[in-house]
């Protein structure tokens, strides 16, 4: 019935032979603008299209609207035909930085900066629309949720992945900036820092920087907003409305006293597992990039060589937390989760612990990542307050956590195995550039003790071996060359090692040297790398400019030689 009424109402538009050319001229007087005209069905879609063809900029069939350049008369006519007409919001000027917190990007600025990363490095970065915020989903403005994917696209094949969510809780100011600054660090240091270079060549980093943009806008206005802004919960205008996205994930949802059924509570779990569009976006994306590596029984462990790391970044409390949050039982992969947790906590100097040690939580992100998919999943609680001052973020939170995140990206291939092995520290080459054929000394320190032991003691062993690889890393079946202990024996948990790299077989150009160590338990630790520049061998190749200089010298030498010794020829000795 409604369809018929609309068809009748819009008919006059067609009958009048509505001319957009005339309308566009009119618009100079009346003022024109971009509008979205929503169509309820295909018939109306096509009628509007025909009537406004000349003014049509695009048709979005997915969301059901045409974007038109329309003047006020057009708008009146379209509305009279029963159609919904919304003014199109242009990109507009970027909103100013948060007052008092100039180091934190707004939701809009985060998007702009992510797009700038993609524009500056399109072969390394892409932006993926993974879903909508609640307000977007409900036609109230809102935002798309975007994942920034970072990897060197020219190197193909399946790669290990680190996935991060930031800003899930709106008021936790430092979290989204950390995601963005980590992204910028990776892109800026590619080709400069050998570790960053191999991480992006051989691994992937995926970041959902603004996981709760509707809520974040409330927090940007100064409110201590935590949840999303779902108006169906509590009451539409209440500042306590919304669902706690960190209680809305489908694993263990609603169990064990780890969330609230009170819609106005700060830890309201939502009406059903994964009821919120933001949760659906994260869950859907994680399922699309990670294989399911864990059985469904509570006691099922993921295999030791399971792949993938997930970090959900929150604040505050200076904590590194791992599953479970819903039970005091340790997870089937609990020991390995703890090992990586303590190693991450060594990097950022945070307190490592099983999540329930804080308080019971159910339907949280990390229990989902591990419980549902078997991924090594963590929650970081950054800093000491929600609205953290910029100097604390810039001087401490950012540098400390960059190291933790780089480590997580490095070990994402086998997060349940690699972290128990030693780290490479102080890696250096005697010379960063050598002529081909000239051997170069390599020195490094291997350290099996890099765990934060403030909450229990991680077992440590002596180093038992160390090796280097040229260009082809261990995981690509490169050939490991042994390094030796400086003091002649591998017998301590921290060992200085050395070796000499022959360069006679290397091509001229830049090479990457990978180093790793093993402990007595048999665990190979994370790989670290340095660049080595190999220059042309001395005396064989000379640039054209030097060639000319040498030629002049040779001619002069020949002349002088003839003068002083008439019987000698160049290259021949007269007896
Ligand atoms: O309560 C939360 O969701 C987290 N704290 S916050 O201040 N950022 O809100 C702690 C979650 C701890 N539990 C799990 N990580 N499972
Ligand atoms: Zn939080």
């Amino acid at each position: 019935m409604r369809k018929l009424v609309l068809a009748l109402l819009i008919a006059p538009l067609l009958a009048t032979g509505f001319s957009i050319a005339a309308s566009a001229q009119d618009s100079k007087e009346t003022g024109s603008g971009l509008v979205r005209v929503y169509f309820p069905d295909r018939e109306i879609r096509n009628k509007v299209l025909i009537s406004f063809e000349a003014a049509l900029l695009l048709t979005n069939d997915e969301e059901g609207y045409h974007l038109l350049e329309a003047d006020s008369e057009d708008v009146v006519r379209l509305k009279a035909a029963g159609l919904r007409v919304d003014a199109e919001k242009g990109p507009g000027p970027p909103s100013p930085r948060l007052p008092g917190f100039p180091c934190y990007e707004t939701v809009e600025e985060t998007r702009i900066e992510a797009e700038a990363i993609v524009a500056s490095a399109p072969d390394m970065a892409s932006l993926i629309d993974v879903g909508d915020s609640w307000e977007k989903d409900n036609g109230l403005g809102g935002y798309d949720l975007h994942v920034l994917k970072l990897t060197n696209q020219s190197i193909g094949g399946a790669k290990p992945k680190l996935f991060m969510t930031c800003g899930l809780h709106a008021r936790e100011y430092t979290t989204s900036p950390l995601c963005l600054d980590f992204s910028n660090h990776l892109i800026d240091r590619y080709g400069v820092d050998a570790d960053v270079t191999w991480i992006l060549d051989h691994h992937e980093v995926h970041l959902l920087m603004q996981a709760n943009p509707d809520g974040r806008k409330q927090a940007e206005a100064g409110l201590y907003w935590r949840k999303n802004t779902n108006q169906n919960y509590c009451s539409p205008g209440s500042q306590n409305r919304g669902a706690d996205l960190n209680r809305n994930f489908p694993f263990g949802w609603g169990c064990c006293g780890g969330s609230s059924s009170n819609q106005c509570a700060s830890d309201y779990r939502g009406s059903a597992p994964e009821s919120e569009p933001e949760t659906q976006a994260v869950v859907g994306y994680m399922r699309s990039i990670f294989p399911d590596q864990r059985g469904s029984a509570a006691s099922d462990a993921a295999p030791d060589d399971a792949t993938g790391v997930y970090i959900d970044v929150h604040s505050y409390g200076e904590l590194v937390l791992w599953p479970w949050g819903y039970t005091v039982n340790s997870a089937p992969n609990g020991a390995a989760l703890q090992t990586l947790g303590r190693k991450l906590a060594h990097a950022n100097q945070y307190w490592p612990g099983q999540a329930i040690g804080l308080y019971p939580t159910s339907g949280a992100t990390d229990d989902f990542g591990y419980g549902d998919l078997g991924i090594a999943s963590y929650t970081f609680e950054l800093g000491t307050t929600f609205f953290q001052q910029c100097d604390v973020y810039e001087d401490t939170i950012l540098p400390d956590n960059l190291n933790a995140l780089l480590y997580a990206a490095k070990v994402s291939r086998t997060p349940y195995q690699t972290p128990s092995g030693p780290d490479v520290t102080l890696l250096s080459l005697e010379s960063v550039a050598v002529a081909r054929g000239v051997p170069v000394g390599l020195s490094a320190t291997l350290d099996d003790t890099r765990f934060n032991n403030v909450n229990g003691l991680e077992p440590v062993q002596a180093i038992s071996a160390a090796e280097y690889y040229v260009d082809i890393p261990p995981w690509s079946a490169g050939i490991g060359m042994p390094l030796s202990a400086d003091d002649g024996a591998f017998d301590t948990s921290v060992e200085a090692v050395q070796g000499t790299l022959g360069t006679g077989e290397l091509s001229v150009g830049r090479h990457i040297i990978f180093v790793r160590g093993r402990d007595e338990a048999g665990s190979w630790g994370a790989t670290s790398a340095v660049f080595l520049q190999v220059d042309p061998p001395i005396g064989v190749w000379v640039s054209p400019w030097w060639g000319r200089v040498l030629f002049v010298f040779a001619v002069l030498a020949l002349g002088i030689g003839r003068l002083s010794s008439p019987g000698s020829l160049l290259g021949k000795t007269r007896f």
Side-chain angles (χ1 to χ4, degrees):
M1 179 63 186
R2 188 174 147 70
K3 218 167 147 182
L4 181 69
V5 170
L6 278 166
L8 289 172
L9 282 169
I10 207 160
L13 293 178
L14 297 165
T16 54
F18 178 86
S19 151
I20 201 68
S23 173
Q25 239 172 358
D26 290 344
S27 73
K28 292 220 168 60
E29 284 95 27
T30 54
S32 66
L34 293 182
V35 292
R36 285 184 184 197
V37 182
Y38 287 86
F39 41 81
D41 57 32
R42 197 135 194 99
E43 198 185 344
I44 305 286
R45 170 195 184 275
N46 294 340
K47 282 186 173 165
V48 176
L49 193 145
I50 295 162
S51 304
F52 290 84
E53 204 180 354
L56 184 72
L57 296 172
L58 65 86
T59 298
N60 184 333
D61 279 320
E62 206 184 314
E63 295 182 35
Y65 67 83
H66 295 298
L67 188 65
L68 303 179
E69 171 106 44
D71 63 25
S72 49
E73 267 182 49
D74 301 336
V75 172
V76 170
R77 287 168 136 189
L78 287 158
K79 284 188 172 169
L83 299 177
R84 179 178 145 203
V85 182
D86 290 350
E88 171 75 355
K89 283 183 231 133
S95 28
R97 290 279 163 119
L98 305 187
F101 300 93
C103 62
Y104 303 137
E105 295 79 12
T106 60
V107 170
E108 287 78 5
E109 286 169 329
T110 308
R111 170 81 190 272
I112 289 167
E113 292 205 21
E115 282 171 353
I117 289 174
V118 176
S120 73
D123 47 344
M124 305 288 280
S126 55
L127 212 49
I128 305 159
D129 183 345
V130 298
D132 294 342
S133 70
W134 184 87
E135 289 180 23
K136 175 101 196 245
D137 213 28
N138 286 270
L140 296 169
Y143 297 87
D144 291 324
L145 302 187
H146 282 109
V147 167
L148 182 69
K149 176 182 170 184
L150 303 176
T151 192
N152 180 356
Q153 294 154 15
S154 70
I155 299 177
K159 298 181 186 179
K161 296 169 181 63
L162 165 66
F163 176 57
M164 294 174 61
T165 43
C166 290
L168 196 79
H169 282 152
R171 64 193 172 193
E172 301 170 4
Y173 272 5
T174 51
T175 64
S176 298
L178 179 66
C179 253
L180 184 58
D181 288 336
F182 180 43
S183 308
N184 275 317
H185 180 86
L186 291 172
I187 292 299
D188 292 349
R189 302 290 296 167
Y190 182 82
V192 179
D193 178 305
D195 276 336
V196 167
T197 305
W198 79 250
I199 287 170
L200 288 182
D201 281 345
H202 298 281
H203 291 188
E204 295 173 4
V205 179
H206 300 239
L207 310 103
L208 174 51
M209 305 201 219
Q210 295 284 2
N212 178 12
D214 297 345
R216 184 77 170 189
K217 291 315 286 181
Q218 303 284 351
E220 284 175 13
L223 296 174
Y224 270 132
W225 202 281
R226 167 183 170 97
K227 302 188 282 180
N228 74 353
T229 65
N230 192 329
Q231 294 180 9
N232 301 318
Y233 304 144
C234 201
S235 81
S238 170
Q239 291 185 2
N240 295 321
R241 71 178 184 271
D244 181 358
L245 299 173
N246 206 24
R247 301 294 183 278
N248 189 238
F249 279 69
F251 187 89
W253 181 86
C255 91
C256 328
S259 62
S260 176
S261 59
N262 173 355
Q263 296 188 347
C264 305
S266 64
D267 59 347
Y268 174 56
R269 64 178 78 109
S271 58
E274 216 184 319
S275 55
E276 308 309 301
E278 294 88 352
T279 316
Q280 290 162 19
V282 176
V283 167
Y285 190 68
M286 287 178 74
R287 290 200 169 128
S288 77
I289 63 167
F290 292 117
D292 182 357
Q293 299 165 100
R294 204 183 80 85
S296 49
S299 58
D300 286 340
D304 281 349
D305 63 352
T307 186
V309 174
Y310 170 44
I311 298 176
D312 185 26
V313 185
H314 287 251
S315 71
Y316 61 92
E318 302 187 323
L319 307 168
V320 172
L321 305 172
W322 56 84
W324 303 113
Y326 81 95
T327 172
V328 293
N329 296 337
S330 61
N333 297 89
L337 285 165
Q338 176 170 276
T339 303
L340 174 51
R342 286 178 176 159
K343 192 146 260 185
L344 295 170
H346 180 270
N348 60 14
Q349 293 301 305
Y350 287 178
W351 189 91
Q354 188 178 331
I356 198 166
L358 189 60
Y359 42 75
T361 49
S362 52
T365 51
D366 44 13
D367 278 7
F368 166 75
Y370 172 70
D372 206 283
L373 298 170
I375 303 153
S377 301
Y378 294 84
T379 295
F380 281 13
E381 294 281 355
L382 306 181
T384 53
T385 186
F386 292 132
F387 290 4
Q388 190 92 54
Q389 289 301 316
C390 280
D391 57 344
V392 180
Y393 173 72
E394 285 167 342
D395 298 345
T396 312
I397 295 175
L398 176 59
D400 290 352
N401 282 284
L402 270 185
N403 285 330
L405 296 176
L406 287 167
Y407 186 82
K410 276 188 173 187
V411 301
S412 61
R413 181 178 298 275
T414 46
Y416 298 135
Q417 292 177 325
T418 311
S420 60
D423 293 351
V424 178
T425 57
L426 304 173
L427 172 57
S428 66
L429 294 174
E430 186 190 11
S431 169
V432 293
V434 289
R436 191 165 88 190
V438 176
V440 60
L442 181 157
S443 50
T445 300
L446 290 156
D447 189 340
D448 204 50
T449 70
R450 305 226 308 168
F451 299 103
N452 186 331
N453 289 324
V454 295
N455 177 27
L457 209 62
E458 191 68 23
V460 161
Q461 296 83 28
I463 308 299
S464 63
E467 56 187 21
Y468 71 87
Y469 293 72
V470 180
D471 295 326
I472 306 172
W475 54 86
S476 299
I479 299 163
M481 304 295 288
L483 293 162
S484 56
D486 278 12
D487 60 7
F490 283 114
D491 52 5
T492 51
S493 54
V494 181
E495 286 282 358
V497 300
Q498 58 180 309
T500 305
L501 247 114
T503 62
E505 303 296 309
L506 298 182
S507 58
V508 169
R510 192 164 71 171
H511 295 268
I512 184 164
I513 313 300
F514 300 95
V515 174
R516 66 174 188 166
R518 189 183 64 197
D519 64 22
E520 268 179 353
S523 302
W524 287 103
T527 298
S528 291
V530 276
F531 286 127
L532 170 65
Q533 175 67 35
V534 173
D535 291 333
I538 298 162
V540 170
W541 183 89
V542 281
S543 73
W545 186 80
W546 270 104
R548 259 174 256 139
V549 173
L550 287 177
F551 178 73
V552 171
F553 268 108
V555 169
L556 283 174
L558 188 64
I560 292 164
R562 280 186 172 213
L563 281 175
S564 61
S565 153
S568 80
L569 289 169
L570 192 67
K572 278 195 178 175
T573 308
R574 188 176 66 94
F575 292 99

PDB file of all heavy atoms in Angstrom, residues 521-535:
ATOM      1  N   ALA A 521      66.425 -25.897  27.210  1.00  0.00           N
ATOM      2  CA  ALA A 521      65.153 -26.612  27.093  1.00  0.00           C
ATOM      3  C   ALA A 521      64.811 -26.867  25.630  1.00  0.00           C
ATOM      4  O   ALA A 521      63.784 -27.474  25.323  1.00  0.00           O
ATOM      5  CB  ALA A 521      64.044 -25.810  27.771  1.00  0.00           C
ATOM      6  N   GLY A 522      65.627 -26.354  24.730  1.00  0.00           N
ATOM      7  CA  GLY A 522      65.415 -26.609  23.297  1.00  0.00           C
ATOM      8  C   GLY A 522      64.587 -25.543  22.604  1.00  0.00           C
ATOM      9  O   GLY A 522      64.229 -25.711  21.437  1.00  0.00           O
ATOM     10  N   SER A 523      64.263 -24.449  23.289  1.00  0.00           N
ATOM     11  CA  SER A 523      63.420 -23.404  22.685  1.00  0.00           C
ATOM     12  C   SER A 523      64.261 -22.373  21.952  1.00  0.00           C
ATOM     13  O   SER A 523      65.122 -21.724  22.563  1.00  0.00           O
ATOM     14  CB  SER A 523      62.613 -22.673  23.765  1.00  0.00           C
ATOM     15  OG  SER A 523      61.823 -23.576  24.478  1.00  0.00           O
ATOM     16  N   TRP A 524      63.975 -22.237  20.677  1.00  0.00           N
ATOM     17  CA  TRP A 524      64.561 -21.133  19.914  1.00  0.00           C
ATOM     18  C   TRP A 524      63.757 -19.882  20.225  1.00  0.00           C
ATOM     19  O   TRP A 524      62.537 -19.901  20.181  1.00  0.00           O
ATOM     20  CB  TRP A 524      64.511 -21.410  18.418  1.00  0.00           C
ATOM     21  CG  TRP A 524      65.497 -22.446  17.961  1.00  0.00           C
ATOM     22  CD1 TRP A 524      65.235 -23.742  17.641  1.00  0.00           C
ATOM     23  CD2 TRP A 524      66.903 -22.252  17.774  1.00  0.00           C
ATOM     24  NE1 TRP A 524      66.390 -24.381  17.266  1.00  0.00           N
ATOM     25  CE2 TRP A 524      67.443 -23.499  17.331  1.00  0.00           C
ATOM     26  CE3 TRP A 524      67.781 -21.170  17.922  1.00  0.00           C
ATOM     27  CZ2 TRP A 524      68.790 -23.679  17.042  1.00  0.00           C
ATOM     28  CZ3 TRP A 524      69.125 -21.352  17.633  1.00  0.00           C
ATOM     29  CH2 TRP A 524      69.631 -22.593  17.202  1.00  0.00           C
ATOM     30  N   GLY A 525      64.433 -18.773  20.515  1.00  0.00           N
ATOM     31  CA  GLY A 525      63.738 -17.533  20.861  1.00  0.00           C
ATOM     32  C   GLY A 525      63.440 -16.682  19.638  1.00  0.00           C
ATOM     33  O   GLY A 525      63.659 -17.102  18.497  1.00  0.00           O
ATOM     34  N   ALA A 526      62.950 -15.477  19.906  1.00  0.00           N
ATOM     35  CA  ALA A 526      62.575 -14.552  18.823  1.00  0.00           C
ATOM     36  C   ALA A 526      63.808 -14.144  18.021  1.00  0.00           C
ATOM     37  O   ALA A 526      64.906 -14.044  18.557  1.00  0.00           O
ATOM     38  CB  ALA A 526      61.913 -13.316  19.418  1.00  0.00           C
ATOM     39  N   THR A 527      63.558 -13.898  16.747  1.00  0.00           N
ATOM     40  CA  THR A 527      64.632 -13.498  15.829  1.00  0.00           C
ATOM     41  C   THR A 527      64.807 -11.981  15.862  1.00  0.00           C
ATOM     42  O   THR A 527      63.830 -11.244  15.955  1.00  0.00           O
ATOM     43  CB  THR A 527      64.236 -13.949  14.406  1.00  0.00           C
ATOM     44  OG1 THR A 527      64.122 -15.373  14.412  1.00  0.00           O
ATOM     45  CG2 THR A 527      65.245 -13.525  13.373  1.00  0.00           C
ATOM     46  N   SER A 528      66.064 -11.551  15.805  1.00  0.00           N
ATOM     47  CA  SER A 528      66.357 -10.121  15.617  1.00  0.00           C
ATOM     48  C   SER A 528      67.250  -9.987  14.397  1.00  0.00           C
ATOM     49  O   SER A 528      67.908 -10.950  14.005  1.00  0.00           O
ATOM     50  CB  SER A 528      67.057  -9.530  16.840  1.00  0.00           C
ATOM     51  OG  SER A 528      66.157  -9.476  17.915  1.00  0.00           O
ATOM     52  N   ALA A 529      67.273  -8.795  13.832  1.00  0.00           N
ATOM     53  CA  ALA A 529      68.004  -8.648  12.565  1.00  0.00           C
ATOM     54  C   ALA A 529      68.742  -7.322  12.484  1.00  0.00           C
ATOM     55  O   ALA A 529      68.426  -6.358  13.194  1.00  0.00           O
ATOM     56  CB  ALA A 529      67.022  -8.767  11.394  1.00  0.00           C
ATOM     57  N   VAL A 530      69.760  -7.318  11.627  1.00  0.00           N
ATOM     58  CA  VAL A 530      70.481  -6.083  11.265  1.00  0.00           C
ATOM     59  C   VAL A 530      70.684  -6.088   9.746  1.00  0.00           C
ATOM     60  O   VAL A 530      70.691  -7.150   9.122  1.00  0.00           O
ATOM     61  CB  VAL A 530      71.885  -5.974  11.909  1.00  0.00           C
ATOM     62  CG1 VAL A 530      71.829  -5.408  13.304  1.00  0.00           C
ATOM     63  CG2 VAL A 530      72.630  -7.286  11.853  1.00  0.00           C
ATOM     64  N   PHE A 531      70.887  -4.903   9.200  1.00  0.00           N
ATOM     65  CA  PHE A 531      71.202  -4.804   7.769  1.00  0.00           C
ATOM     66  C   PHE A 531      72.713  -4.850   7.566  1.00  0.00           C
ATOM     67  O   PHE A 531      73.475  -4.339   8.399  1.00  0.00           O
ATOM     68  CB  PHE A 531      70.685  -3.477   7.199  1.00  0.00           C
ATOM     69  CG  PHE A 531      69.188  -3.426   7.029  1.00  0.00           C
ATOM     70  CD1 PHE A 531      68.445  -2.381   7.589  1.00  0.00           C
ATOM     71  CD2 PHE A 531      68.516  -4.389   6.283  1.00  0.00           C
ATOM     72  CE1 PHE A 531      67.078  -2.304   7.417  1.00  0.00           C
ATOM     73  CE2 PHE A 531      67.142  -4.321   6.109  1.00  0.00           C
ATOM     74  CZ  PHE A 531      66.425  -3.283   6.677  1.00  0.00           C
ATOM     75  N   LEU A 532      73.123  -5.425   6.453  1.00  0.00           N
ATOM     76  CA  LEU A 532      74.538  -5.384   6.040  1.00  0.00           C
ATOM     77  C   LEU A 532      74.587  -4.912   4.584  1.00  0.00           C
ATOM     78  O   LEU A 532      73.971  -5.527   3.703  1.00  0.00           O
ATOM     79  CB  LEU A 532      75.175  -6.776   6.157  1.00  0.00           C
ATOM     80  CG  LEU A 532      76.579  -6.891   5.536  1.00  0.00           C
ATOM     81  CD1 LEU A 532      77.583  -6.012   6.285  1.00  0.00           C
ATOM     82  CD2 LEU A 532      77.058  -8.347   5.533  1.00  0.00           C
ATOM     83  N   GLN A 533      75.337  -3.856   4.361  1.00  0.00           N
ATOM     84  CA  GLN A 533      75.507  -3.364   2.993  1.00  0.00           C
ATOM     85  C   GLN A 533      76.786  -3.964   2.413  1.00  0.00           C
ATOM     86  O   GLN A 533      77.863  -3.824   3.003  1.00  0.00           O
ATOM     87  CB  GLN A 533      75.598  -1.823   3.029  1.00  0.00           C
ATOM     88  CG  GLN A 533      75.893  -1.168   1.698  1.00  0.00           C
ATOM     89  CD  GLN A 533      74.749  -1.329   0.686  1.00  0.00           C
ATOM     90  OE1 GLN A 533      73.585  -1.325   1.064  1.00  0.00           O
ATOM     91  NE2 GLN A 533      75.105  -1.490  -0.586  1.00  0.00           N
ATOM     92  N   VAL A 534      76.667  -4.650   1.284  1.00  0.00           N
ATOM     93  CA  VAL A 534      77.849  -5.216   0.630  1.00  0.00           C
ATOM     94  C   VAL A 534      78.170  -4.345  -0.594  1.00  0.00           C
ATOM     95  O   VAL A 534      77.342  -4.178  -1.485  1.00  0.00           O
ATOM     96  CB  VAL A 534      77.611  -6.686   0.224  1.00  0.00           C
ATOM     97  CG1 VAL A 534      78.778  -7.219  -0.602  1.00  0.00           C
ATOM     98  CG2 VAL A 534      77.401  -7.546   1.468  1.00  0.00           C
ATOM     99  N   ASP A 535      79.368  -3.798  -0.564  1.00  0.00           N
ATOM    100  CA  ASP A 535      79.817  -2.919  -1.652  1.00  0.00           C
ATOM    101  C   ASP A 535      80.646  -3.703  -2.664  1.00  0.00           C
ATOM    102  O   ASP A 535      81.076  -4.827  -2.373  1.00  0.00           O
ATOM    103  CB  ASP A 535      80.648  -1.766  -1.056  1.00  0.00           C
ATOM    104  CG  ASP A 535      79.770  -0.817  -0.252  1.00  0.00           C
ATOM    105  OD1 ASP A 535      78.563  -0.734  -0.562  1.00  0.00           O
ATOM    106  OD2 ASP A 535      80.272  -0.195   0.697  1.00  0.00           O
TER     107      ASP A 535
END
